[in-house]
Amino acid sequence: MWTGPMAQLAPFAMLAFIAAFAVSLAWHARRGRMGRALRIATADALLVASVLVILRATLPSDQPPSGLDPWTWMPFEDLIRAWPFDHSRSVILGQMAQNVALFVPFALALVLRDSRASLWRVTLVCAVFSMGIEVTQGLAGNGRSADI
């Protein structure tokens, strides 16, 4: 069984996926090509669910404002400073793995939605989306630091 903060997102992701799949399938099936409609609806649902999960996982924070500068101008600076402490390494690696894992379904959905999309284009879209999240975290001042 899943545990931890990511496990709480599973029901949210499933609900978003099912709702987006139903709407997209109904929309694309109007043209009568059910095979294509199923493929596009699956990609759309994965895209919507992944965006909603990324936003839910990264923007709200239950942490009180720390009083520290919410902007970190060197990516991963807080993680690099904590690295020498043995007990922090597993937490750091876990957080980094979770951040990467959040974007895998998003990138996959982009490729499924547009099979002609190049690796560079998908990477650019993911990077811009990630940068947008970091800027929003910095502006919100909700206890999270923005690594720009």
Side-chain angles (χ1 to χ4, degrees):
M1 192 68 175
W2 289 358
T3 59
M6 294 300 281
Q8 298 169 358
L9 294 174
F12 179 72
M14 287 303 297
L15 183 61
F17 181 85
I18 291 168
F21 180 79
V23 170
S24 182
L25 183 61
W27 178 261
H28 292 289
R30 296 176 308 131
R31 297 190 179 130
R33 295 168 48 192
M34 190 54 84
R36 185 173 189 277
L38 281 170
R39 183 185 65 79
I40 292 174
T42 302
D44 287 348
L46 183 59
L47 188 61
V48 167
S50 64
V51 166
L52 291 176
V53 166
I54 289 169
L55 293 175
R56 176 66 184 100
T58 58
L59 292 183
S61 175
D62 55 1
Q63 302 171 3
S66 63
L68 301 174
D69 187 9
W71 296 96
T72 303
W73 298 104
M74 185 178 96
F76 310 114
E77 180 180 12
D78 53 341
L79 301 178
I80 291 168
R81 274 192 265 138
W83 187 257
F85 303 105
D86 289 334
H87 65 280
S88 299
R89 288 189 187 133
S90 63
V91 173
I92 292 168
L93 292 174
Q95 287 177 352
M96 292 175 82
Q98 286 177 356
N99 283 338
V100 170
L102 276 174
F103 279 87
V104 169
F106 179 69
L108 179 63
L110 290 174
V111 171
L112 289 174
R113 188 65 174 92
D114 182 7
S115 59
R116 296 169 294 162
S118 69
L119 176 63
W120 290 110
R121 184 174 172 193
V122 171
T123 303
L124 179 65
V125 170
C126 288
V128 168
F129 187 36
S130 178
M131 182 68 74
I133 289 169
E134 294 295 336
V135 168
T136 304
Q137 286 176 341
L139 294 174
N142 62 355
R144 294 184 181 263
S145 67
D147 292 327
I148 302 294

